[in-house]
Each structure stands twice: as structure tokens, then as C-alpha cells.
Amino acid sequence: MKKKIYFLSVIIFSSLLVSCSSTNGLKESDRSFSYINTNLTEKQLSSESYVFIRLYDISYDKALRPGNFLRGPIRILGKAGNGRYYVHSAVSHGLRDDSFVGLTLTDKKNNMARYESVMDITTNDFMATNDARRSTCAVLAIPCTKSENEYLKKVLEYLVLPDNRFVYGILHNAQVPISHFGNGKKIMKAYNFPIEYAFSSMIDVGREPESLFPNKSYVCSSFVAYILEQCVDRVNVSFLQSRCNSLGYTPVDLYYIEGSFVLFDCSYADYDKILGDFLESYPQFKKFID
């Protein structure tokens, strides 16, 4: 009986991550559509460069979208410190809307790793089911070196090539909740890793991107966590120090990735406007929209 319960639990959590999507069920009037972090510290602003992750809190354009039935399971995995139930993630070397790369379940004839746009959701089968006004996204920065940022850009350009055949690993979903709970409090231990470790990179930026990915099957959040582990020294070191498994990272776990901090949060449709307002407050980030 216990084995049946365990198997059922794995199936439930696997279903949760299959579409990498859900909803938090809030009414539109309850949502806070825009937030700009105006309290960034000198230490956070002192890094020579950054990489960026985008976390998605999704509502759908139609009530009967499959993701709407996953509200219960996503709550079991928990919410971020700001109260959001993030269910999808992407990574970028810059802040432009369409520079973020994510992995979603799409046509298997094509590479499932691709650039995503929240301002033009019609360009992606997964994004096209989202309600652009009610869905929100948060952009977080992770301090890194300039060479690490440039290397990440090179890796992302490799990932979206049409012949790489990265796939959304449906069967891999069974491993994610197990690894997630195995990480447990290690994630917070990694999050509190000293920020000073940002500036002594041991990442070999001369490695060819194809050598980094012996595995071509991931879910969105394990994909992002693994990319960061391979490209950003502070993340690599903190994973080693805390013994976290990148394959067990959920979108909510990425909210706590080492050294990260929120830049802004907004609805999809307001992304460019809020980004512009953020850059007015912090012009030193303007170089990341080129």
C-alpha cells in the first residue's frame, strides 16, 4: 500500500511539472502588477556584471487550460518569499524581453529550448496560452564576472540552435520532486553563501558549450539551475558547498539561488514599461539591454 501511495505521489508531482505551468487563482483585482526594487544595496550594485533569471506566476487565457488544475500540487512545493507561486523560469545574459531562454513542452520536431517573449506571447506555443495582463514575471539578478556573462551569452546562443534537440523531459519529472525534497534546507544554505565569492571565478570560459550538456533532457527550472551551475562560479561553488542538486530545483527554488535579488516584478504586458522605469532608477543596468 505504501508503495502505491509513493508511486501516486510521484505521478502527481510529475504532472505538476509536465507543462511547467499553473495558476495561483488570484483575482485580477488582488494582483500587484508592478514592483521595482528601489532598495538595492551598494554591495548588490558593486558587481562588474550579472546574469538574470525570470520567474513566471501564470494565469491562463481560458479557465479550462490544464495548468489551472495544478493549483493544489504547486502549493505543496511552496511559494517564494514574496508570496508568488512561480511555475516557469528562464535565464538571460541581459534584460531585454526576448533575450531570455527557457525550456517548455512544445513540438518535438524542434528544439524545445528557445527564446521567450512576454511582450509577444504568440511566438511560443506555451506562452500563447498565458493571459498577458494577469500573468506576472519577476526578474532577478545574480552577480557574476564580465567573462561569465559573456560566456553565458555564448552558451545560450548554442542552446537555441535548431539542431540541438533539447527536450522537455516528461519522465525526468519523476526525479525532480525527489531531488527537490532531498535538497531541503540546503537551498537556503546555498542562498546565504557569502557574496564575496562572486569575484574569483574558476569557471573555464574556454569550454565549448556542447561539452557542458551530456544530458539533453530537463524541465524548465532544472535547465536554468544547471546552466547557472556551469556558467557562474558563485553558483557552482555554492552548490558544491551546500551539496544541492541542480536537477532538483523548482522555479520557486530559483528565487533563492545564491546571491540573487529581485530587480522588478510586473505583468507580462507591462514588461517594457516597468523595465524602462527600473532603468531610470538604476541607469547602470542600461548596458544590459543592448
Side-chain angles (χ1 to χ4, degrees), residues 101 132 137 183 186 261:
V101 172
C137 59
N183 281 339
K186 296 176 184 177
F261 52 92

Side-chain angles (χ1 to χ4, degrees), residues 47-66:
S47 181
E48 67 181 40
S49 192
Y50 303 88
V51 298
F52 306 95
I53 53 178
R54 190 158 67 187
L55 304 178
Y56 303 71
D57 180 13
I58 296 168
S59 286
Y60 289 91
D61 56 357
K62 295 180 181 178
L64 295 180
R65 293 292 185 189

